[in-house]
Amino acid sequence: NQIIKRNFEAALKIWTIYVRANPQDPIGFYNLAVAAEALGRYKTSIENYWKYLQLIGNTADKAELNNKIMTLEQEQ
């Protein structure tokens, strides 16, 4: 909800708490990565996109996320 409202600081806090409580839920890591990316915290975003990919396994957006990770690595 906070991501939709574009309140990324609140979203980052909420999703950080969520993934600590639910470390096997890939969606939590994805949302945490999105919030971190929006705040320009690229290292955190990259780490959480990788964790999402590790947990989710094969996903249709894997190539897209790999490209996003490479772009974020260049922007660090």
Side-chain angles (χ1 to χ4, degrees):
N1 198 17
Q2 295 301 322
I3 290 174
I4 293 169
K5 292 180 180 180
R6 304 188 64 74
N7 186 351
F8 298 111
E9 282 290 343
L12 187 70
K13 290 176 186 174
I14 290 166
W15 287 110
T16 298
I17 292 166
Y18 180 84
V19 298
R20 285 183 185 148
N22 302 280
Q24 297 304 313
D25 184 357
I27 302 304
F29 287 97
Y30 181 85
N31 287 325
L32 182 55
V34 169
E37 180 182 358
L39 293 168
R41 298 179 185 173
Y42 300 135
K43 182 180 180 203
T44 300
S45 181
I46 291 164
E47 290 169 357
N48 286 286
Y49 279 131
W50 277 122
K51 184 67 176 175
Y52 165 76
L53 288 171
Q54 289 172 348
L55 290 172
I56 200 83
N58 266 342
T59 180
D61 61 350
K62 186 174 185 173
E64 180 182 336
L65 283 175
N66 281 325
N67 287 335
K68 180 184 284 283
I69 289 167
M70 285 191 302
T71 300
L72 292 173
E73 286 174 339
Q74 292 172 354
E75 293 182 20
Q76 287 189 69

